[in-house]
Amino acid sequence: MPTAILAFNTNNQLAIRRAGASAQLAFTGGDLPETLARLEAAFQAHTGPRAAFTTGDDLQVHLAQVTGEPVDREIHFASIDSLQSAPDALDPVLAGVLAQLDPHLIAIPYLHLGENDFIYKFRPDKERNSRIYQLDDNARALYQSQLCSAIKALSRANERTASAPVPLDFGAVRYLIPSHFGFCLGVKNAIERAYETLAENPGRRVFMLSELIHNPYVNEDLRRRGLLYLQTDKGEPIPDNAGPRLGATNSTQKTARVPLLWDTLTPDDIVIIPAFGATDDDKRRLVRKGIPVLQYDATCMLVEKVWKAARAFGREGFTIIIHGKHEHEETKATFSNARRHAPALIVRNLAEARILTDIIQSDSGDSSVLAAAREKFAATFDGKHTPGFDITRDLQRVAVVNQTTLLMNETLAIIEHLRSAYAAKYGPVEAAARVGGNAKRDTLCYATQVNQDALSLALAEPLDAAIVIGGKNSSNTYQLYRLCEQGLGPRAFFIQSERNIRSLDAIEHYHFPAHGPRVTAAPFENTEIKPLPRPSAPGQPLRILITGGASCPDGIIQQVVAKINSLLPAQTIRPIDAVLGDLERHDKPA
């Protein structure tokens, strides 16, 4: 059967053959072996051809990735966008192939990977690039902390297992720091990739698809070094305010549309995908523009683990239930991946899971009951499910995966609630086959979980207050705050840095939008000014738990400690060297 191999370079540009002014398919033949031989005559290094689709003219189309320059001088590389922008210059066969290519673009950057391979594995400690955290005084202040380094050396015998919290005795105040806090490996990988990419590509525009991590100080430091952002953390494209307005003349300059940064991208630009991952739509846009994807894809491998579990569940006939926030970048990426393999639905919390099980249990022969269930589903899950989702067909068998930054206990509660509902409807034996999940498919992030476990151990100690540090849009930081609030109520604080501590009587506590009533005290929108509690007994030191979310740099944690210390009488505070000495003595065997 006639065959074509579409050969792409690492910039996702297609190899074409120029015949005069016409662009043609570069590699075609009567069958696959003949076509492959022609590919190998032009490129020594290539991946094995992967079947993609068959055109209406019975042309079998395969995809391959090549490296190096072609031997044949008639072969050139061009982006999909540039080819389709000049349709009159396309051979009809090539034009027909490009018209069917869009669903397959997502595979092109990863043709050399097996389906069980990870895009970007965590670097072992010996391969970490510690230099990027010491580029200058700003980087050192943001990322370096003698206290945090000493705490980690003392308390982290195992990266995946929480241990007892570490006390810091400063005299008038005693801090309690959980064994695990701050940057996870996925965040470290993404940060190092960003700084390295900027350093290795002077003179080129380097973009981040959206926020690198949910920490304003890290993002601002990268922006100061030249990093640009294509869209907000909500996926809203950022305008190119520095460029000319589209369609503008002297008389229409004010009303013409401001172009988006997306519109200005060229194959010379670099776009980094953050640890949260990216949607298929965003990746396809990059591929069409001929921009490298794999080389700058910093998706956390624990997020990718969720995608692989969703794929496996889908192949087994389960509908994928994603426990997550539909507006969060990670959940958007997971939903985008899951929908390739199965119907998918996003459930925010246990309350929504209860609504879902009410709908499942109302599935009966009564048309009015079914109609009411459909209305409830549409009202609750609008914009959170795959197109054409049918509650009678797509809720027969379900399996749960999760946004990695949420509370493990809530994901487990949703799974158990679903199992109970299916058992009530079908009996326990059949329910076991209708609700998927086992230890091998666990999609809970160990880094998120160990931070939560370590915090729980610290919360068991006597405390006057707890301060959780992280970005305002950081989901995992908010989950840590929720644990503190459950134990300490109003004595728990959510802040972004030491700048939120005005005085001991005025701490700017941030109310996460998803939690409780919105508090406004202009100009501190969503912020409540609260006093730090005083010691529970006269003459006792103030006992404060401090932790940071997975996107909180160590330097900010130490700066919070220093700020609180500075607000207490200097003669009552022990010097930091004395506290570091305490830690060093504890670290030595007796």
Side-chain angles (χ1 to χ4, degrees), residues 262-489:
W262 268 108
D263 301 329
T264 73
L265 288 179
T266 74
D268 291 328
D269 294 323
I270 293 171
V271 178
I272 303 171
I273 294 174
F276 310 113
T279 65
D280 286 358
D281 284 346
D282 284 341
K283 288 185 179 180
R284 276 193 285 262
R285 291 178 75 180
L286 295 174
V287 170
R288 280 195 292 266
K289 289 178 177 292
I291 293 174
V293 172
L294 174 78
Q295 300 92 310
Y296 304 105
D297 188 342
T299 301
C300 174
M301 62 184 296
L302 296 180
V303 172
E304 206 181 345
K305 179 183 174 184
V306 177
W307 301 351
K308 293 181 186 301
R311 180 188 66 208
F313 284 133
R315 287 176 176 173
E316 293 171 9
F318 291 101
T319 287
I320 309 303
I321 306 295
I322 302 167
H323 173 213
K325 301 173 181 178
H326 74 280
E327 72 276 11
H328 193 282
E329 300 105 306
E330 182 190 324
T331 296
K332 289 179 180 179
T334 296
F335 179 80
S336 181
N337 274 267
R339 65 181 294 177
R340 290 189 230 156
H341 310 290
L345 171 68
I346 300 171
V347 171
R348 190 178 193 91
N349 48 34
L350 185 57
E352 287 194 354
R354 290 188 174 117
I355 293 173
L356 182 63
T357 54
D358 287 343
I359 292 168
I360 291 167
Q361 291 172 327
S362 67
D363 182 11
S364 67
D366 189 323
S367 60
S368 62
V369 172
L370 183 58
R374 291 187 190 280
E375 288 182 10
K376 182 184 290 188
F377 181 86
T380 306
F381 299 106
D382 180 42
K384 304 175 187 177
H385 58 78
T386 44
F389 195 101
D390 187 284
I391 62 172
T392 59
R393 179 193 64 216
D394 296 329
L395 293 174
Q396 294 295 313
R397 301 176 74 222
V398 300
V400 178
V401 299
N402 67 300
Q403 179 183 320
T404 60
T405 56
L406 300 182
L407 290 177
M408 177 191 72
N409 290 339
E410 290 195 351
T411 299
L412 295 177
I414 288 171
I415 293 171
E416 288 308 312
H417 181 71
L418 287 167
R419 284 177 175 156
S420 296
Y422 276 84
K425 182 170 183 176
Y426 297 105
V429 175
E430 189 172 346
R434 288 181 177 269
V435 181
N438 54 50
K440 292 183 179 179
R441 300 275 173 78
D442 173 17
T443 63
L444 299 165
C445 168
Y446 77 82
T448 297
Q449 186 54 44
V450 75
N451 279 6
Q452 294 172 8
D453 291 343
L455 178 58
S456 295
L457 290 175
L459 285 168
E461 301 286 332
L463 295 165
D464 296 309
I467 296 175
V468 182
I469 310 165
K472 292 181 178 181
N473 53 350
S474 171
S475 178
N476 79 85
T477 305
Y478 171 57
Q479 305 308 324
L480 296 177
Y481 166 73
R482 287 181 62 198
L483 290 175
C484 292
E485 186 199 34
Q486 289 167 12
L488 297 173

Side-chain angles (χ1 to χ4, degrees), residues 219-240:
N219 290 324
E220 183 54 39
D221 187 68
L222 284 162
R223 186 179 285 110
R224 184 173 59 83
R225 299 175 194 277
L227 188 68
L228 303 167
Y229 293 85
L230 278 178
Q231 53 197 32
T232 70
D233 63 323
K234 304 305 180 193
E236 299 164 349
I238 294 175
D240 178 21

Side-chain angles (χ1 to χ4, degrees), residues 172-173 175 504 542 563-573:
V173 58
Y175 301 100
L504 295 181
L542 185 59
K563 181 63 176 287
I564 294 173
N565 288 352
S566 72
L567 297 173
L568 293 163
Q571 67 274 17
T572 68
I573 297 296

